[in-house]
Amino acid sequence: YWCSYLCFIDMKKVLLVASDPSELKGFGDEWIKCICGVGPISSATYSAIFIERYKPDVVFSLGSAGSLGRFKRGDVVSFSTIVTPDQNLSSMHLSLGTTIGSNRATFKELYTADKRSGYILYTSGTFNKEKVESHYSLHSDATDMEAYGVALSATVLSVPFFAVKLITDTVGDNSTIGDISHFYREGRERIKEKVLSLLE
């Protein structure tokens, strides 16, 4: 196991992106680490800078996420699809989450390198304490604040991408930021285990 992991690291450059340094504790110097701050705009900006600078072979968005009912606190989940409600061009007759790219083509969902899980992660620059209609209309399983930005940069720059999140709360359960941080510290070692399994 460890031999295959070390051999992979010798051959591949892996970029880890998280909003806060505490989310990457336990990962050593063999990993490229980007602390992007909070929100999809910041995560897209810093991910693009780090991808251009370090030319990684694969990118991971790591951190916490809130369950929308499918998962329980402590689960570590790799997502297949990333969506956002922040792009709303409904006045242009486009469905929620759809936007227009630089080539004038429309796109909506962004897809990770994990084709098997089938889970959908909802990324918004707004921290929702309660469930909202767009959680349902976008068929989301969990929500975070950075993954869509990381996914967009990785997709545009043609780098394989994963979104791995530790479920620290359920949306609507009145968890505080302190609660979320506590439960992340309790479970972050499982994030590393999941990353290593995806790299095998």
Side-chain angles (χ1 to χ4, degrees):
Y1 177 89
W2 283 106
C3 179
S4 64
Y5 155 60
L6 291 171
C7 290
F8 182 91
I9 294 299
D10 286 341
M11 294 185 295
K12 301 283 188 182
K13 291 189 288 185
V14 182
L15 171 62
L16 309 176
V17 183
S19 65
D20 187 86
S22 65
E23 295 176 318
L24 297 183
K25 282 189 176 179
F27 289 93
D29 293 338
E30 67 271 24
W31 309 85
I32 305 165
K33 290 175 271 191
C34 171
I35 306 305
C36 66
V38 175
I41 295 173
S42 183
S43 67
T45 301
Y46 282 94
S47 295
I49 290 170
F50 270 65
I51 291 170
E52 284 291 289
R53 180 179 298 167
Y54 294 103
K55 310 296 184 189
D57 297 295
V58 61
V59 178
F60 283 83
S61 174
L62 305 181
S64 65
S67 173
L68 291 166
R70 180 184 290 272
F71 309 116
K72 65 182 186 300
R73 181 180 283 150
D75 288 345
V76 176
V77 184
S78 175
F79 294 86
S80 292
T81 306
I82 319 295
V83 296
T84 182
D86 295 347
Q87 297 294 336
N88 189 343
L89 300 180
S90 56
S91 62
M92 300 173 64
H93 309 291
L94 296 174
S95 63
L96 181 68
T98 302
T99 192
I100 302 171
S102 58
N103 61 357
R104 300 189 63 79
T106 60
F107 65 94
K108 186 175 180 178
E109 300 90 351
L110 296 173
Y111 299 101
T112 76
D114 184 345
K115 309 301 182 190
R116 294 184 296 177
S117 83
Y119 298 131
I120 299 173
L121 181 62
Y122 170 113
T123 296
S124 177
T126 300
F127 184 88
N128 295 124
K129 287 194 170 184
E130 302 292 335
K131 293 180 183 177
V132 296
E133 175 57 33
S134 55
H135 291 145
Y136 302 102
S137 63
L138 292 172
H139 309 291
S140 312
D141 297 306
T143 179
D144 87 323
M145 297 186 71
E146 288 80 40
Y148 192 92
V150 183
L152 182 60
S153 293
T155 299
V156 168
L157 295 169
S158 301
V159 183
F161 163 79
F162 291 93
V164 176
K165 303 292 174 171
L166 174 66
I167 303 300
T168 52
D169 62 295
T170 297
V171 176
D173 71 357
N174 296 317
S175 292
T176 66
I177 297 300
D179 294 332
I180 291 169
S181 297
H182 169 75
F183 285 112
Y184 194 89
R185 289 193 299 273
E186 290 290 307
R188 65 184 165 209
E189 187 61 32
R190 294 195 297 278
I191 285 252
K192 185 173 182 180
E193 292 170 3
K194 186 67 171 181
V195 169
L196 294 176
S197 72
L198 290 167
L199 290 175
E200 287 187 316

